[in-house]
Amino acid sequence: MARVLINLPARAKRGELIEIKTLIAHPMETGYRLGPTGGAIPRDIINRFTCTYNGEEVFRAELFPAIAANPFITFFTVATESGEIVFSWTDDHGNTQTEVRQITVE
Amino acid sequence: MRALVLAAVAAAVAAAAAEIAPQDRHSGYDFAGPDTRAMQDDDTANPGMLGVLQGETLWAAKTGAAGRSCADCHGDARTSMKGVAARYPAFEPALARPLDLEGRINRCRSEHQGAEPLAWESADLLALTAFVAYQSRGLPIMVRADAELRPFVDLGSALFHRRQGQLNLSCSQCHDDNWGKRLAGAVIPQAHPTGYPVYRLEWQSLGSLQRRLRNCMIGVRAEPYDYSAPEAVDLELYLMARARGMPLETPAVRP
């Protein structure tokens, strides 16, 4: 499991625009670099990030080589109701890491 | 004419080479761009914090023949490690030499955990060092320049002021005499080791102070010291003594 830092308000007013910041540890190896013996270092990047809010997708990003290591993604969404915000990062090996955070909307 | 120019250059070099007055000292933070500073200021945007988090896990992990974790002996790092990084490198009587924080942690592994020392610049050693140093964030650097350490501070100072490499430049010529000016795209900072291990954007990872020193040595085409070589630790010690009183920022972000 990679280290993840997620920052979002624990509480928000209904209709409020909230900023969500995410940071995940990942080498984001481009596939274009050569290793010590001259062979290409295989590509290994996170290629997809999604965020759902009570099951509904509110943000998605496709990532490509040339995005720096430890990708930092921030975005905004509208606080509609209390519930679960789920974050998923999928890498080139098809592994998905998922993190869940709660938000209270009043 | 040529002799005149040379004489003028020699005079300029002699006139400079002064130490930076305490009130004129600046952390590398002050020379970084607003984006880099914003990244350091926000713990959820600072990628160095991922290393601190990893270090926190390692702190509690039992390892080595002794099957003990750092926490088994040192307890809660927030209290036991507070201020420790601010006074490293520190004198180790058994070696009759200063040890830097990485060296101390590796010594705890070999002496107290019965484990192999961690490789220099390995993710685990950087993470543990960042986690320990993070407990001193905001505290002033307090390296002791007492009778035991003084000779090593002086050795480090000599290395800092000695010209070296194919470019024949000393650390001091850039960092004491020309700080604030540009070297190609980079602003020359004053070389205060306030934020180590730092997350360097160019490296896209955390890196130790020794790695940073190696970069500068390679920059002047000198042969860098090996990791944990006595010269490297003396230089670290001198830099910490030179930055005495400045607050630690670990994990800092640098370009």
Side-chain angles (χ1 to χ4, degrees):
Chain A
M1 287 286 272
R3 306 268 153 217
V4 167
L5 281 166
I6 295 173
N7 184 14
L8 81 166
R11 316 184 147 268
K13 293 209 168 55
R14 195 175 307 278
E16 188 182 334
L17 197 61
I18 56 167
E19 183 176 22
I20 300 179
K21 302 188 208 172
T22 68
L23 181 63
I24 186 167
H26 198 281
M28 297 297 279
E29 190 57 60
T30 61
Y32 297 123
R33 294 199 312 156
L34 302 183
T37 55
I41 305 174
R43 184 181 125 157
D44 175 18
I45 68 168
I46 289 170
N47 56 50
R48 189 184 163 87
F49 170 77
T50 61
C51 174
T52 61
Y53 187 164
N54 284 341
E56 191 194 335
E57 185 173 279
V58 291
F59 184 84
R60 179 177 62 220
E62 284 173 38
L63 288 81
F64 295 91
I67 291 181
N70 308 318
F72 176 59
I73 300 174
T74 83
F75 52 94
F76 292 85
T77 192
V78 177
T80 48
E81 57 196 292
S82 296
E84 265 183 10
I85 304 193
V86 180
F87 304 86
S88 316
W89 294 259
T90 305
D91 68 14
D92 282 343
H93 306 293
N95 299 325
T96 297
Q97 176 159 344
T98 301
E99 296 280 331
V100 182
R101 295 290 183 275
Q102 308 294 329
I103 185 165
T104 306
V105 175
E106 51 220 358
Chain B
M1 181 64 200
R2 185 136 179 253
L4 246 179
V5 172
L6 277 181
V9 169
V13 169
E19 281 188 10
I20 301 166
Q23 70 276 12
D24 294 332
R25 288 184 308 178
H26 292 285
S27 153
Y29 177 91
D30 296 340
F31 300 102
D35 291 350
T36 309
R37 276 186 275 176
M39 200 186 263
Q40 174 171 328
D41 291 342
D42 179 351
D43 276 351
T44 53
N46 180 343
M49 288 304 293
L50 296 168
V52 172
L53 276 182
Q54 189 191 339
E56 189 173 13
T57 308
L58 294 171
W59 180 260
K62 294 192 189 300
T63 179
R68 307 186 77 171
S69 69
C70 317
D72 285 341
C73 291
H74 294 293
D76 187 346
R78 279 173 302 184
T79 46
S80 68
M81 290 293 133
K82 189 172 179 183
V84 170
R87 50 179 176 73
Y88 267 74
F91 191 76
E92 169 52 50
L95 302 175
R97 283 202 42 80
L99 260 186
D100 60 13
L101 197 53
E102 287 88 346
R104 165 62 68 204
I105 291 170
N106 262 339
R107 215 175 140 78
C108 271
R109 277 182 66 91
S110 54
E111 303 289 305
H112 299 305
Q113 290 183 305
E116 285 290 310
L118 294 165
W120 267 88
E121 296 312 293
S122 62
D124 282 0
L125 184 55
L126 288 166
L128 273 171
T129 311
F131 174 68
V132 170
Y134 176 68
Q135 313 307 325
S136 300
R137 187 152 82 165
L139 296 178
I141 292 175
M142 275 302 173
V143 157
R144 291 202 205 100
D146 54 16
E148 278 168 332
L149 277 180
R150 191 75 243 173
F152 300 97
V153 176
D154 292 343
L155 282 171
S157 169
L159 295 174
F160 192 80
H161 293 94
R162 188 189 72 181
R163 285 171 177 260
Q164 56 179 327
Q166 288 180 329
L167 300 192
N168 199 29
L169 284 169
S170 71
C171 317
S172 169
Q173 281 177 293
C174 279
H175 292 299
D176 285 332
D177 302 345
N178 287 295
W179 61 266
K181 295 185 196 155
R182 283 185 167 271
L183 185 70
V187 180
I188 302 175
Q190 294 178 347
H192 294 302
T194 44
Y196 286 81
V198 294
Y199 191 89
R200 190 163 178 225
L201 300 175
E202 186 182 312
W203 295 333
Q204 299 203 17
S205 70
L206 277 177
S208 69
L209 178 56
Q210 290 201 20
R211 181 173 178 190
R212 174 67 256 187
L213 303 187
R214 290 168 67 88
N215 274 205
C216 276
M217 294 186 71
I218 292 167
V220 297
R221 300 191 199 152
E223 191 175 329
Y225 308 123
D226 286 338
Y227 280 115
S228 78
E231 292 88 346
V233 179
D234 295 346
L235 206 41
E236 288 182 288
L237 175 63
Y238 169 69
L239 290 176
M240 286 293 274
R242 182 171 168 267
R244 206 185 144 82
M246 297 177 77
L248 273 189
E249 300 160 39
T250 310
V253 180
R254 294 289 181 265

